[in-house]
Amino acid sequence: MELEGKIVKGIAGFYYVNCLTETGEKLYECRAKGIFRKDKIKPLVGDNALIQVTSEEKGLGNIQKILPRKNRLIRPEVANIDQALIIFAMAEPQPNLNLLDRFLVMMEMQGIDTAICFNKLDIVTKEEEGRLLAAYEKCASKVLFVSSRENIGMDKICQLLEGRTSVLAGPSGVGKSSIVNYMQPLAAMETGKISEKIGRGKNTTRHSQLIYVKENTYIMDTPGFSSLDIPELKENDLWKYYPEFVPLEPSCRFRGCSHIKEPDCGVKRALEKGQISKVRYHNYVTLYQEL
Ligand code: ZN
């Protein structure tokens, strides 16, 4: 029997493929020897694959073919990602917006749509919400304000994730895990199911894996991060990854304008008029100097 499914986890030469069968979702433990020999492809978490079931009873199979990839992320290493959802707290801890901007640049460089979710809406003022919205509405596909504790706006996250494969990232202490848990009580079960199969208990959470939420909906919970290096980026290209700067660049007097010291710069004009955020611009300058 041949089935199509999605690789949700790879560990020590085994791949766990989630397939929609007549009786519902089922996880198969697969090897991929033929793929290495034939196509010289290393299967990745997120790959859609055809598998040959070798034991229905034990849930075993072989990966026959990796279907064409839409994209491939380097960090975390995963294929076919539709979007990244970056989660920050609005307070407690104070959001490190420099870190947020680095993350946005990194995703923009990899061509991944990014949405931002600001959590802990219940402990900040309306003004603070407005400030963050003004700074970020032009540089993410969506900006959501939620409170996982008070259950405010959580349905908007569900809507955003539905039918897509999303990477969830954010520093520690922002409530990311409570959002993951809200997303799917099944998530914990899913992790348990895989752990049971490979007998490693809690260790499995260290490896990147996709969590099945519902049909065609997967999330990848990435470990908390505290710093992000942006590799292989030239300082003069940095502005290209600030979506709100891009339409302003043609109005700069100089080609190759860094938008920092040059006179008659479209970006700086927009900054003075308050059309782009001071925070974003300040972080741009910091990152430019670092590069
Ligand atoms: Zn400029």
Side-chain angles (χ1 to χ4, degrees):
M1 185 177 53
E2 199 170 62
L3 289 174
E4 188 181 328
K6 188 181 267 298
I7 300 177
V8 294
K9 190 176 182 65
I11 188 166
F14 288 98
Y15 296 92
Y16 296 84
V17 183
N18 193 48
C19 298
L20 184 60
T21 67
E22 283 161 10
T23 52
E25 301 288 329
K26 182 167 174 178
L27 198 63
Y28 291 88
E29 182 180 273
C30 299
R31 305 296 304 233
K33 283 179 179 162
I35 298 286
F36 294 121
R37 266 202 312 270
K38 204 167 80 237
D39 302 335
K40 304 209 165 33
I41 285 182
K42 181 182 173 267
L44 289 178
V45 168
D47 270 330
N48 297 312
L50 294 178
I51 68 162
Q52 184 70 42
V53 176
T54 53
S55 166
E56 182 57 39
E57 192 193 347
K58 291 181 186 155
L60 301 176
N62 282 319
I63 294 179
Q64 302 290 309
K65 190 179 171 58
I66 300 295
L67 300 175
R69 279 174 193 155
K70 170 184 161 176
N71 58 30
R72 178 188 171 169
L73 237 69
I74 306 297
R75 276 193 316 177
E77 199 179 23
V78 55
N80 299 320
I81 285 297
D82 295 313
Q83 65 186 347
L85 177 66
I86 176 143
I87 301 163
F88 270 73
M90 300 171 78
E92 297 174 23
Q94 272 302 311
N96 178 343
L97 299 179
N98 182 288
L99 191 59
L100 173 57
D101 288 352
R102 281 164 195 264
F103 189 91
L104 290 170
V105 167
M106 223 172 73
M107 286 298 146
E108 195 71 27
M109 281 175 75
Q110 299 186 84
I112 304 291
D113 260 1
T114 308
I116 305 169
C117 172
F118 287 109
N119 191 16
K120 307 196 184 180
L121 181 60
D122 53 309
I123 55 170
V124 298
T125 59
K126 266 273 166 233
E127 287 69 39
E128 183 61 4
E129 181 185 347
R131 194 178 72 88
L132 287 169
L133 181 64
Y136 286 95
E137 65 187 343
K138 287 181 198 151
C139 53
S141 66
K142 214 162 210 137
V143 183
L144 302 178
F145 295 92
V146 309
S147 163
S148 55
R149 195 165 53 191
E150 299 291 327
N151 196 4
I152 303 166
M154 299 300 279
D155 51 328
K156 288 187 283 183
I157 304 181
C158 296
Q159 277 168 22
L160 182 71
L161 299 183
E162 190 166 343
R164 298 182 179 142
T165 298
S166 312
V167 162
L168 270 57
S172 55
V174 300
K176 183 161 61 80
S177 46
S178 49
I179 289 175
V180 170
N181 292 343
Y182 176 88
M183 274 317 298
Q184 194 39 274
L186 272 179
M189 268 165 61
E190 213 49 42
T191 311
K193 220 157 58 177
I194 292 175
S195 309
E196 205 179 288
K197 272 213 150 109
I198 54 187
R200 291 196 186 197
K202 284 184 177 170
N203 287 348
T204 54
T205 53
R206 280 197 314 221
H207 300 268
S208 58
Q209 72 171 66
L210 283 176
I211 297 165
Y212 172 74
V213 176
K214 59 195 216 180
E215 200 176 340
N216 295 322
T217 305
Y218 291 87
I219 54 179
M220 176 177 267
D221 182 15
T222 61
F225 55 80
S226 53
S227 69
L228 274 180
D229 296 322
I230 296 173
E232 293 162 29
L233 177 61
K234 292 199 182 73
E235 69 268 34
N236 286 326
D237 287 332
L238 180 62
W239 65 269
K240 295 175 186 165
Y241 305 107
Y242 279 69
E244 71 269 49
F245 290 11
V246 173
L248 300 168
E249 193 267 350
S251 60
C252 294
R253 191 202 302 176
F254 297 102
R255 289 202 102 197
C257 182
S258 73
H259 318 301
I260 296 177
K261 287 188 183 132
E262 295 83 348
D264 208 2
C265 164
V267 172
K268 283 197 287 179
R269 260 197 308 270
L271 177 72
E272 278 156 26
K273 287 186 207 153
Q275 288 161 345
I276 60 171
S277 139
K278 280 189 186 129
V279 180
R280 286 277 290 169
Y281 182 78
H282 176 78
N283 286 340
Y284 166 80
V285 174
T286 309
L287 202 51
Y288 182 94
Q289 283 160 349
E290 235 174 74
L291 291 168

